[in-house]
Amino acid sequence: MRFIADLHIHSHFSRATSKELVPERLHLWAQKKGIKVVGTGDFTHPGWLKELEEKLRPAEDGLYCLAPQLAIRVDQEVPPLCRSEPRFLLTGEISCIYKRGGKVRKIHHLVLMKDMEAVRRLNSRLSRVGNIKSDGRPIFGLDSRDLLEMVLDSDEGAFFIPAHIWTPWFSLFGSKSGFDSVEECFGDLTPHIFALETGLSSDPPMNRRLSALDDFILVSNSDAHSPAKLGREANIFDTEPDYPHMVEAMKSGEGFVGTIEFFPEEGKYHLDGHRRCGIRLSPSETRGHGGICPGCGRPLTVGVLHRVEELADRQEPKLLHKFVSLIPLAEIISEVLGAGPATKKVLSLYEKLLEEVGPEFHVLMDAPLEEIERVGGYLMGEAIGRMRAGRVIREEGFDGQYGVIRLFEEGEKEALMGQHTLFKPVGRSSKDRPSPSSREQGGPVTSGKVREPNKGVSWDDPILGPLNQEQLQAATHLGGHLLVVAGPGTGKTMVLTHRIAHLIREGEAKAEQILALTFTRKAAQEMEQRLVSLIGEEHSSRIRISTFHGLYLELLEQRAAEAHEPRALRICTEEDSLRIAYQVLSSRGVA
């Protein structure tokens, strides 16, 4: 049986969480999202454990369901197409803060347990070490290795996962307080670690650049602080929905299909930076500044991409399971309608899609685009199609600030609607749309609706694997000049960067022979960052990437210098242009 599980969440007993985080609302939202198994979170807190014991009942081996008298009432709020029988699995997050190797370590861990009795045994041990009543995610002065030993001693069936392993402040590989290897953290007990949680700011291709992680299953969870955030990252299993089979899948990989991911750029710590100064930097820029904020002179927060590059020992990821990157449905609707995610207009369309199409994950991954368009309008179908193809606009998060993932350029929605109104197709079906590529590495993983790799190209190829057939033709063209005509959001920047990477890898061109020009500095910066991830900084730093204006300004400055006529040149702004035009016309008596 194939199903989705989100195992890392919190309860209303944790700090900065919603009061809605109670079993009834989790039961409701699991159905609306399309999640079969949801973690309880916070099982170390006595108040929450008591609430779970009162409201849950045993179901399949190691899983629980909402008490029938509560479920009947809650299910009346669930759209009929979303109704299912969600299950709960006992989970809790534990924070360890301790000193090792002359450095303070702050590391969070996710613990799974098969029954209430096992949880009570662990809680009894933890209560002797620290205060388990202070927060749903308790903090202990325990070494991570010692916590793992305590968990294993409490119950041999317990499963221990280092949480969001790249987060700078509180994680296994965090730049501020982590380690450089799993073995360094857990020592002789490392063989009892089978899975690692990747966190919102990284994805499998980033993690799989470390050969040291090849023996671990990569899992993803939401770490939700409110019920509506369930499933922003999750796992896909193809096994019996019970505790023993799920744990075994996360140990061996058999029955573990893959993960549902954020676009990692949306995560709060993807790039380096200093939020207070509004400084966001790529790893190479951070190194250029010596790790110091150019605004205030204080240390920068080194993000996930930077740490991955520090520890990675290969450029090409070795992908072991499939994954798909999604944008939460409410965020997509918010962009389409131009209204806040919590506004009545957005929530109304969200509920309508669930009523007429199905659960959120079905809408995002599997529902026919023409059905989405019928219910949500042309732009909704277009937006979902772009997301499935990985055609997104990325503004990276840094230093605790979420990034922004968009699907439309400014003014593009109006232009698309104008075209659609003028040339609205009759009886349009999904085959009339451009064939979507999958997410840039990997592909959709449910219902068999997976884009087949291009002939002769593996999914695992980070340069050619992400491209659809048309993009592949452009990226591998070697027959002289090529003109590519494509509209907004079709992946032009991606094709250009992957073509450059392909030319260098195949020896068709040297890095220093390549000139790449764009119209905006933002696009140029995006190309630089993508090329670093594809071919490494050693090659990418030798490629000339610039804007048209920047290149021409440099050529003019160079020409002036050669003529021994140094001038202070600058790019003419729109205001300058209007002023000069007015002066010319005035001199001719026209203005």
Side-chain angles (χ1 to χ4, degrees):
M1 174 181 176
R2 182 168 290 197
F3 62 91
I4 294 172
D6 180 1
L7 303 177
H8 184 176
I9 72 161
H10 288 282
S11 74
H12 61 96
F13 283 95
S14 280
R15 292 189 183 95
T17 60
S18 169
K19 293 180 180 179
E20 291 272 294
L21 280 165
V22 295
E24 297 93 323
R25 305 312 288 176
L26 292 170
H27 175 87
L28 170 72
W29 276 94
Q31 294 180 75
K32 293 173 77 169
K33 295 284 184 174
I35 298 171
K36 175 64 177 178
V37 180
V38 60
T40 61
D42 297 355
F43 65 31
T44 55
H45 196 284
W48 182 236
L49 185 59
K50 181 181 178 182
E51 188 170 344
L52 294 175
E53 290 174 325
E54 292 173 350
K55 295 181 177 179
L56 300 185
R57 299 292 180 266
E60 295 80 5
D61 190 3
L63 300 185
Y64 295 80
C65 63
L66 191 65
Q69 66 272 23
L70 297 176
I72 290 173
R73 186 170 69 249
V74 174
D75 288 346
Q76 294 175 1
E77 299 180 50
V78 180
L81 289 179
C82 299
R83 287 178 188 167
S84 62
E85 297 180 344
R87 297 293 186 251
F88 291 88
L89 190 152
L90 297 170
T91 64
E93 184 181 9
I94 298 173
S95 174
C96 293
I97 300 180
Y98 57 100
K99 196 165 186 178
R100 173 110 74 85
K103 184 178 180 180
V104 175
R105 313 291 181 168
K106 300 179 181 180
I107 305 179
H108 290 183
H109 304 290
L110 177 65
V111 180
L112 282 58
M113 289 207 152
K114 65 181 181 181
D115 56 46
M116 299 283 187
E117 185 57 39
V119 170
R120 282 191 285 269
R121 285 196 298 270
L122 176 61
N123 288 356
S124 176
R125 289 170 176 258
L126 290 173
S127 65
R128 299 174 207 150
V129 178
N131 185 359
I132 62 174
K133 300 178 181 178
S134 61
D135 188 26
R137 181 184 59 204
I139 301 173
F140 299 104
L142 274 175
D143 189 294
S144 294
R145 182 231 172 257
D146 297 338
L147 173 65
L148 173 56
E149 183 176 39
M150 185 180 293
V151 168
L152 295 173
D153 286 345
S154 297
D155 191 84
E156 62 180 12
F159 195 66
F160 191 100
I161 306 174
H164 43 69
I165 58 173
W166 296 103
T167 303
W169 301 97
F170 300 98
S171 73
L172 174 60
F173 294 133
S175 61
K176 296 292 184 182
S177 60
F179 296 93
D180 288 346
S181 70
V182 180
E183 292 76 13
E184 188 183 355
C185 181
F186 295 103
D188 61 314
L189 294 185
T190 300
H192 294 280
I193 301 295
F194 297 94
L196 304 171
E197 184 185 70
T198 59
L200 303 182
S201 296
S202 75
D203 62 6
M206 293 171 64
N207 285 267
R208 291 305 184 192
R209 289 180 57 200
L210 280 71
S211 62
L213 303 188
D214 287 352
D215 293 333
F216 300 94
I217 301 298
L218 299 181
V219 300
S220 292
N221 298 291
S222 68
D223 197 359
H225 285 214
S226 68
K229 297 294 185 183
L230 280 182
R232 56 183 179 175
E233 290 203 333
N235 309 283
I236 302 174
F237 291 85
D238 191 359
T239 183
E240 291 299 316
D242 60 37
Y243 186 92
H245 282 93
M246 291 176 67
V247 166
E248 182 57 34
M250 289 185 286
K251 287 183 176 180
S252 67
E254 292 292 327
F256 187 81
V257 178
T259 54
I260 294 169
E261 303 281 337
F262 247 34
F263 284 94
E265 295 85 356
E266 190 173 1
K268 293 196 292 185
Y269 295 101
H270 185 70
L271 287 187
D272 310 334
H274 191 190
R275 181 169 52 170
R276 201 171 196 177
C277 296
I279 300 293
R280 174 176 53 198
L281 301 174
S282 68
S284 60
E285 290 172 325
T286 298
R287 288 189 286 270
H289 287 288
I292 300 300
C293 175
C296 67
R298 295 179 179 178
L300 292 160
T301 299
V302 171
V304 171
L305 181 61
H306 194 138
R307 277 293 280 166
V308 169
E309 290 186 359
E310 282 183 345
L311 300 180
D313 57 354
R314 59 190 176 206
Q315 289 298 325
E316 297 187 8
K318 181 182 178 182
L319 294 176
L320 304 178
H321 295 92
K322 292 195 178 295
F323 73 98
V324 58
S325 293
L326 301 177
I327 304 170
L329 182 57
E331 291 183 19
I332 297 176
I333 298 172
S334 174
E335 182 179 2
V336 167
L337 298 183
T343 59
K344 184 176 180 180
K345 185 162 63 169
V346 169
L347 295 177
S348 176
L349 181 52
Y350 180 87
E351 294 296 334
K352 185 179 180 184
L353 285 163
L354 267 55
E355 286 278 358
E356 299 188 32
V357 181
E360 179 170 339
F361 280 130
H362 175 69
V363 174
L364 294 175
M365 294 193 290
D366 299 321
L369 294 178
E370 62 268 21
E371 185 177 359
I372 295 171
E373 183 177 321
R374 175 185 61 80
V375 178
Y378 170 72
L379 285 179
M380 270 304 301
E382 179 68 22
I384 297 289
R386 290 185 179 197
M387 179 204 64
R388 291 179 183 177
R391 289 161 41 200
V392 301
I393 302 159
R394 307 156 198 250
E395 184 177 318
E396 301 89 344
F398 67 99
D399 193 21
Q401 179 171 307
Y402 279 110
V404 178
I405 304 296
R406 293 182 292 113
L407 294 158
F408 300 100
E409 297 281 3
E410 187 175 349
E412 189 186 356
K413 290 187 297 180
E414 292 75 11
L416 285 170
M417 283 307 297
Q419 294 172 13
H420 178 66
T421 303
L422 191 59
F423 303 107
K424 186 173 181 179
V426 178
R428 176 172 174 167
S429 68
S430 57
K431 68 181 180 180
D432 298 315
R433 295 178 178 269
S435 173
S437 71
S438 70
R439 163 70 172 98
E440 293 188 7
Q441 287 94 2
V445 290
T446 59
S447 303
K449 297 184 180 181
V450 180
R451 177 178 71 89
E452 293 299 324
N454 289 299
K455 189 175 182 181
V457 177
S458 168
W459 280 120
D460 295 344
D461 183 345
I463 295 176
L464 299 182
L467 307 179
N468 64 25
Q469 189 59 47
E470 292 79 8
Q471 293 168 339
L472 181 68
Q473 291 175 349
T476 57
H477 175 77
L478 296 174
H481 297 94
L482 177 69
L483 174 66
V484 177
V485 180
T490 52
K492 297 185 294 297
T493 303
M494 183 175 83
V495 168
L496 187 55
T497 51
H498 285 244
R499 173 172 173 75
I500 291 170
H502 175 68
L503 289 171
I504 293 173
R505 184 177 69 177
E506 299 301 314
E508 297 291 342
K510 295 180 179 179
E512 53 269 24
Q513 295 175 313
I514 295 175
L515 170 65
L517 296 177
T518 72
F519 284 102
T520 67
R521 281 179 292 183
K522 182 178 179 181
Q525 185 180 40
E526 182 182 348
M527 288 177 61
E528 289 176 355
Q529 292 168 358
R530 289 192 182 198
L531 284 166
V532 168
S533 66
L534 288 172
I535 58 176
E537 192 170 355
E538 180 184 353
H539 288 297
S540 63
S541 62
R542 302 203 305 270
I543 300 170
R544 181 60 193 278
I545 302 175
S546 178
T547 63
F548 286 98
H549 291 91
L551 176 66
Y552 297 155
L553 179 61
E554 184 177 325
L555 292 174
L556 288 171
E557 289 174 337
Q558 181 179 334
R559 182 173 179 179
E562 290 172 352
H564 303 290
E565 298 177 358
R567 304 176 191 173
L569 300 174
R570 64 189 179 92
I571 295 175
C572 189
T573 66
E574 184 177 353
E575 185 179 339
D576 293 332
S577 301
L578 291 172
R579 187 171 60 252
I580 292 170
Y582 180 79
Q583 290 172 353
V584 171
L585 293 173
S586 295
S587 67
R588 297 188 175 220
V590 177

